[in-house]
Every structure is written in structure tokens, then in C-alpha cells.
């Protein structure tokens, strides 16, 4: 994973840890694997578990 995504994921993680409205967050897709299948065109695929869906749209 490139450093741009590492920084972004750290910011997301810090937000989620302090957000009472998010029950869980999962990273899926190529960035979630240890075998570096991601490339410069890969995006971040996240699943957010919350009871407050409308607050995130």
C-alpha cells in the first residue's frame, strides 16, 4: 500500500475510534491483503456498520 493510503487510513481510523455512531469499520479488497495486489489505480473499499446511516450521506 502506498503512503498516501496509509495516511488516509490512519485519519479514518482516528475518526472511527472517536465516533460513537460507527459500530465497526472493515477494509476489504486489494488493500486489505498482505500480498500487495493493489496498484496505483486501486481504491479503498470500506464497509461501515452503523445504526445512523443518514448521518453519513
Amino acid at each position: 500500500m502506498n503512503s498516501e493510503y496509509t495516511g488516509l487510513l490512519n485519519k479514518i481510523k482516528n475518526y472511527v475510534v472517536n465516533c460513537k455512531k460507527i459500530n465497526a469499520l472493515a477494509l476489504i479488497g486489494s488493500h486489505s491483503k498482505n500480498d500487495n495486489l493493489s496498484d496505483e489505480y486501486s481504491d479503498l473499499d470500506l464497509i461501515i456498520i452503523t445504526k445512523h446511516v443518514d448521518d453519513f450521506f
Side-chain angles (χ1 to χ4, degrees):
M1 178 181 310
N2 68 33
S3 60
E4 177 182 334
Y5 283 128
T6 302
L8 179 59
L9 280 175
N10 284 332
K11 288 179 182 180
I12 292 169
K13 180 181 136 189
N14 290 335
Y15 175 79
V16 169
V17 166
N18 295 307
C19 182
K20 304 290 186 208
K21 294 182 178 183
I22 296 178
N23 299 94
L25 179 76
L27 175 66
I28 62 171
S30 59
H31 285 288
S32 67
K33 299 176 175 63
N34 289 332
D35 51 5
N36 274 341
L37 291 177
S38 61
D39 60 18
E40 68 268 19
Y41 302 109
S42 296
D43 60 352
L44 291 175
D45 301 302
L46 300 170
I47 296 175
I48 299 171
I49 308 299
T50 182
K51 294 179 183 176
H52 307 277
V53 175
D54 291 338
D55 292 344
F56 294 95
F57 282 99

